[in-house]
Structure formats: structure tokens, C-alpha cells
Amino acid sequence: MIVIRKLSECTLDQAVQVWNAGFSGYLVDMTTNPDAFMTRQAYEQLSPQHSVVAFDGEQPVGFVLNGIRMAGDVKISWNGGTGVIPAYRGRGVGRKLIEASLDIYRKEGVDTATIEAFASNVPAIALYESVGYVTRDTLLVLRKAGGAAGGGPAEGTGESRGALGDALHPAAGETGGLPDAAAVSAGGPANASGGLAAARQTEAPQEGRGGHAALSAAAAEAGHADGGQSAGGTKAAARHNDAAGRYTLRHGTARDAGLLPFYPALGAWQVHWASLTAGESLIMFEAGKPAGYALYKRVYEASGKLAGVTLYQCEASPDNREPETVLRTLLETVLNGYGEVSFSASHVPSSRTDLLRLLEEKGFQTVHELVWMTRDMTEDGQT
């Protein structure tokens, strides 16, 4: 008889055992170990009290890992991993786990439940649809072609984060300001502000000049993206340079981006500022008002050597008159000056054609395609 228990009632060995067995034969290698499993729980804000494990007697045979938190004024949940061991697949265990998770969401007052799945995982998507989830967008994970060999900070999904994210754990080393080369292009050390709150309170002239210089350099490069000296490229560079005189750049924490008035509160769990414990932001201002931002994270090897950079969000204010200039400049500043490291972009909505076009121009290619699904938990009768 299948009994559903809280993950908090299981031993760590049982949790790791059912995780590895539950993901056997999966689309990617999901193998984990006790240390990596605990790290994932912490960094992805997954809750043992809200996660469930299916037992047959004393044998764990399946699981769902869950997280619950506020996103703006909305309480959301995230299914951060679902798996059933091979011998129990096709016997309704997965449905029992999903339904038990939905019961927990209701008791916790969740407004919106979220989940991601590989677009090719048709059976999983059908299961989620059968209990009320609806596909809202397609999310793309991209890597820059020709980057450093050996992987990089590719990010996974709620379904598959382990294999894709464990190659290099986020925050294996401390993050500070932009690395030296990028700091120079971003206006020098004066640009490493104390965050959005400080940026709102003061507008240091020297910092403004540094930001203008940074934007001019980045915009000029954006204007000559094809490497040529064509009249079109020259005109584009002139337009970008003219716009650059109106903007400043500020470096801050991931939370600083979350304070911006146009920050999208509801989106993929992994790209939200609250998930980016070691994340950083680069915020553009025009006349003291935010014009756009980028959220990213640098990933380090165990030795402390920089291994890669992952972009999570890049947005222009809907009120800005030159959104492409904003996006181009943010991308140039975030991605330049690192040398031979890996670059990736995590969970970019396919609806963001503006950003995807710019990433493709920089050599990024799609390596995984996911579906982002949500379920309205405020409606009754969706079982």
C-alpha cells in the first residue's frame, strides 16, 4: 500500500536513494549525493516540510520536492523535482504525489502553483495538465557557442535541475563586484554602488561620468556588432553613443533588481531574485530613473577560479524609448571582460524575441527547451 509522508520524516540516505532511483533512465543524468542534495535544498529554497515522499512499506518509491514563497503580493509554489522509481512507474504513484502536493499548497494558502518540464517529456506534461496545470510559456536554456570547454553554469529545470546545475554549484565561491576588466568598462570601482537604495539617494557626478563612458564603449561595440565599418554600423554607433550620454550604470545585489517598479514578480522560480543567493544586478538609470536591468551570477570552481557567467534576466523599462539600446548595453557589460569562461542564459521565455535575437547575435544557442506551467490555486474544484 502506498503511503505519502513528508520529506522531513525521511532520512537523508532515503531521500538521496529515492532521488537517484526516481531519475534513473531520465533525459539527463540526475545522480546526486548527500552534500549536493542538501545544497540544492538550501539554494533552491525547497522545503522538507512541504515536500513529499511515497512509501511502499519502508521503501521510498517516489517523491516531489516543493518550495513555497511570496512573489510580490502573490504566494507561489514550485515543484522542484518529481520522480518515481522504475518498478512503480505507471501505477499512479506520480499522481498521488502531485495531488498530495496540491493539498499542501491549499493548506499553505498558495495562490499560484508553478512547475517546469522538458518540452519533450510528454507523459509528465500530460500528468500535470490532468490536475489543472496550464502551459504559459516555453523557456529556453542557452549556451554561448565556442566558450570554454567542460560545461559551465548551465541551469536545469524544476524537473531536472540536478544534472544540469550540479556541474558547478552556484556560489561555490564568494562574489564581489564586476571582475577587473568588466569593472573598467563599467566605469571603474566608483560604479560598485551599495545597491538600488543608495542609487536612489545619491547621484555622484564621478560615478555618472564613469557610467557614461561605460555605456559609450558598450554602445559603440553594439553598433559595430558585425565588426564592419559600414555606414549603417556607424550610424547605429552614433545613435547608441548619443543615447549613452543620458544613462548611468550601477552594480548591485539581485534583490536591488527586485525593487524596480517594472520587475516581473511572477516567472520561473530559478530566475527570481530570491533564488539567486549569490546573484548580482546591473541597473541602468536615465535621469535618476531606472531604465533597465540585468540579473546574473558568476560561478566558480572549487579552486576559486571563475568558471562561467549565467544570465537570468535582462529587461528594459516599458517606459524607455530605446529598449534595444538598453538591452544591448546591459548584455555587453555583463558578458564582456571575462576571458575564456562559459556563458549561459537560463530560462529565457520564448516570448522574449527581443532578448533572444540579441543573444543569438552574440553566439548563444538553445540547448534545452522547457515548458513553464502554472495552476490557479484560488479556484475550487480543480483536482
Side-chain angles (χ1 to χ4, degrees):
M1 177 181 177
I2 301 298
V3 176
I4 305 297
R5 302 178 187 172
K6 298 287 184 66
L7 179 62
S8 56
E9 302 173 34
C10 302
T11 67
L12 179 57
D13 285 344
Q14 285 176 322
V16 172
Q17 171 192 335
V18 73
W19 173 279
N20 288 335
F23 277 123
S24 62
Y26 195 55
L27 299 171
V28 292
D29 181 10
M30 298 291 292
T31 305
T32 191
N33 57 56
D35 288 341
F37 186 84
M38 293 297 291
T39 298
R40 176 180 293 105
Q41 293 278 306
Y43 278 102
E44 296 189 343
Q45 299 182 2
L46 296 168
S47 168
Q49 287 293 332
H50 298 136
S51 301
V52 291
V53 178
F55 277 81
D56 185 359
E58 293 304 311
Q59 180 187 5
V61 298
F63 65 90
V64 170
L65 302 187
N66 291 309
I68 297 175
R69 70 181 177 210
M70 296 300 297
D73 297 328
V74 178
K75 181 176 278 191
I76 66 171
S77 65
W78 179 54
N79 179 326
T82 300
V84 176
I85 69 175
Y88 284 77
R89 293 172 186 169
R91 296 167 58 176
V93 175
R95 176 175 288 275
K96 288 180 182 293
L97 287 162
I98 296 296
E99 290 176 344
S101 294
L102 292 174
D103 286 340
I104 291 174
Y105 303 162
R106 294 187 187 98
K107 291 176 183 176
E108 294 298 322
V110 168
D111 299 302
T112 302
T114 71
I115 192 170
E116 297 96 40
F118 277 114
S120 60
N121 195 345
V122 176
I125 294 172
L127 171 60
Y128 303 145
E129 288 177 338
S130 72
V131 294
Y133 282 90
V134 177
T135 297
R136 300 299 183 186
D137 209 336
T138 301
L139 306 177
L140 305 179
V141 178
L142 304 97
R143 287 183 183 170
K144 187 173 182 179
E155 295 296 333
T157 70
E159 230 187 4
S160 64
R161 174 66 176 261
L164 298 176
D166 281 351
L168 291 168
H169 287 302
E174 294 296 326
T175 63
L178 294 169
D180 292 343
V184 171
S185 70
N191 240 2
S193 75
L196 180 57
R200 285 173 170 167
Q201 295 171 8
T202 181
E203 190 72 26
Q206 182 175 358
E207 184 175 10
R209 287 195 296 272
H212 294 168
L215 288 163
S216 296
E221 184 171 350
H224 292 284
D226 60 358
Q229 296 294 326
S230 66
T234 301
K235 291 178 181 178
R239 288 195 300 270
H240 286 301
N241 280 324
D242 178 66
R246 298 193 303 274
Y247 295 106
T248 56
L249 282 173
R250 307 266 181 143
H251 176 259
T253 66
R255 178 178 176 273
D256 290 333
L259 298 175
L260 296 172
F262 52 91
Y263 180 86
L266 184 60
W269 180 278
Q270 300 95 318
V271 305
H272 193 270
W273 71 263
S275 293
L276 305 179
T277 306
E280 304 171 63
S281 65
L282 189 68
I283 303 176
M284 287 182 66
F285 290 87
E286 180 181 17
K289 296 182 179 180
Y293 71 89
L295 268 179
Y296 64 100
K297 184 190 291 183
R298 288 176 288 157
V299 180
Y300 295 86
E301 297 176 353
S303 65
K305 179 183 177 182
L306 181 68
V309 179
T310 298
L311 178 74
Y312 292 91
Q313 294 189 39
C314 192
E315 299 276 353
S317 168
D319 298 328
N320 188 269
R321 296 164 294 173
E322 300 167 322
E324 182 171 329
T325 296
V326 171
L327 295 178
R328 279 187 181 277
T329 304
L330 288 167
L331 288 177
E332 293 291 345
T333 308
V334 169
L335 299 176
N336 284 355
Y338 291 94
E340 290 297 319
V341 299
S342 296
F343 293 98
S344 62
S346 179
H347 294 68
V348 180
S350 60
S351 56
R352 287 294 311 278
T353 55
D354 55 344
L355 179 58
L356 287 169
R357 176 173 56 83
L358 297 179
L359 288 171
E360 289 169 359
E361 285 180 7
K362 289 187 165 296
F364 281 79
Q365 298 177 352
T366 299
V367 293
H368 295 292
E369 183 175 336
L370 323 168
V371 293
W372 181 56
M373 310 180 76
T374 67
R375 185 187 191 279
D376 185 356
M377 297 301 300
T378 65
E379 297 181 5
D380 295 330
Q382 292 191 11
T383 58

